[in-house]
Amino acid sequence: MSFSRNLKEKAIKVWEDGYNHPFVQELGAGTLDKEKFKFYLLQDYLYLLEYAKVFAMAMVKADDEKMLSNLSSITKSIFVDEMEVHRTYMKEFGITEDEVVNVKASLFNRTYTANMLATAQKGDLAETLATVFPCAWTYCDYGKRLKEQYKKNLEDNFYKSWIETYAGYEFEESFEWFYDAIDELVENKTDKEKRKIEEIFISSVEFEYMFWEMAYNRDMSYKK
């Protein structure tokens, strides 16, 4: 197994804990409290704006046309495809433009995005890709598994479009190039440098879990 594809195994415990989190499972079953999803929706909207900035920072580090094109395409996908899902649900919830403009990022949201941005600022291209990779990869994996697990009730699921977006070929295609890109970027790295990339990847998988937990409890900060 290549270095990039083995990254999932390095984080498998928290990866599976994320899939089995009540937020994800209730979303798949269609039983998730809509207020919890609304909280998630607004927080994820803010997250995606920061997430896109990491790709912009990665573009500065890229030195070939193919990489620049891939980074540009995924940035466009964030604003066109993923944001479209958000806009659709925001309309369903009657979320106003004022609500979107005035929503504040939770402590957990800020911590996750600050970590990604700091990694992108200080690290090289491989480290920058590693910090954003778990977001796309977990969503694709979870979307596919939810679609299969809950296929009998999918048509009546309020969250059907969310599941189908992340389970879809177009979403997977948008980041599939990550595998070969990361493998190529680590070819000449030492074992110590590779371990650092693994640690960056694992941290972002852990942050993904924390994001589900934050949304499920609608936590803006720590609990006393």
Side-chain angles (χ1 to χ4, degrees):
M1 187 180 293
S2 74
F3 176 84
S4 64
R5 293 183 182 277
N6 194 48
L7 287 170
K8 177 181 174 181
E9 294 307 309
K10 298 290 183 179
I12 196 65
K13 171 67 167 61
V14 67
W15 187 292
E16 290 304 304
D17 285 347
Y19 181 68
N20 292 312
H21 193 281
F23 187 100
V24 176
Q25 287 299 309
E26 290 174 20
L27 188 151
T31 58
L32 181 66
D33 184 327
K34 289 184 179 181
E35 287 303 308
K36 294 181 180 182
F37 187 76
K38 180 180 177 181
F39 182 93
Y40 157 82
L41 198 65
L42 289 168
Q43 289 298 315
D44 198 48
Y45 169 79
L46 295 177
Y47 167 87
L48 288 174
L49 296 178
E50 302 303 303
Y51 181 66
K53 291 177 187 178
V54 180
F55 285 98
M57 294 169 75
M59 289 181 73
V60 177
K61 301 173 189 292
D63 56 9
D64 67 85
E65 183 180 349
K66 183 179 179 182
M67 178 62 73
L68 285 166
S69 176
N70 285 333
L71 291 167
S72 177
S73 293
I74 202 167
T75 304
K76 180 181 178 182
S77 178
I78 292 167
F79 287 110
V80 176
D81 300 325
E82 292 197 70
M83 285 300 194
E84 183 57 35
V85 174
H86 284 67
R87 283 189 286 269
T88 298
Y89 280 114
M90 284 178 183
K91 186 176 180 181
E92 289 273 352
F93 280 108
I95 296 173
T96 66
E97 186 67 27
D98 280 346
E99 284 183 275
V100 175
V101 170
N102 293 313
V103 65
K104 295 184 183 300
S106 75
L107 173 66
F108 310 98
N109 195 348
R110 296 196 309 274
T111 304
Y112 185 5
T113 55
N115 181 74
M116 287 196 302
L117 290 164
T119 300
Q121 184 176 30
K122 295 187 294 184
D124 62 15
L125 186 55
E127 292 169 3
T128 303
L129 294 182
T131 198
V132 291
F133 197 11
C135 180
W137 196 356
T138 57
Y139 271 55
C140 181
D141 180 56
Y142 294 0
K144 285 182 175 182
R145 290 162 70 181
L146 290 175
K147 187 174 181 179
E148 175 61 26
Q149 183 177 347
Y150 295 102
K151 59 186 176 183
K152 292 182 180 179
N153 303 312
L154 191 60
E155 287 304 314
D156 297 323
N157 189 335
F158 176 72
Y159 307 111
K160 177 186 175 183
S161 61
W162 188 99
I163 295 169
E164 291 194 327
T165 293
Y166 295 111
Y169 172 76
E170 292 82 4
F171 181 73
E172 184 173 22
E173 187 181 38
S174 74
F175 74 88
E176 254 191 332
W177 57 270
F178 265 63
Y179 301 109
D180 290 341
I182 290 175
D183 287 337
E184 185 176 331
L185 288 166
V186 302
E187 274 183 3
N188 298 315
K189 289 191 178 294
T190 64
D191 288 344
K192 182 178 180 181
E193 289 170 331
K194 288 178 180 178
R195 283 197 299 274
K196 183 179 179 182
I197 291 169
E198 290 171 354
E199 288 167 2
I200 289 169
F201 180 89
I202 293 166
S203 289
S204 284
V205 179
E206 292 171 339
F207 275 120
E208 285 294 322
Y209 177 88
M210 289 169 63
F211 208 95
W212 302 125
E213 181 76 0
M214 167 205 76
Y216 195 73
N217 295 314
R218 289 192 281 170
D219 287 333
M220 286 300 293
S221 186
Y222 72 96
K223 291 181 177 179
K224 293 183 179 179

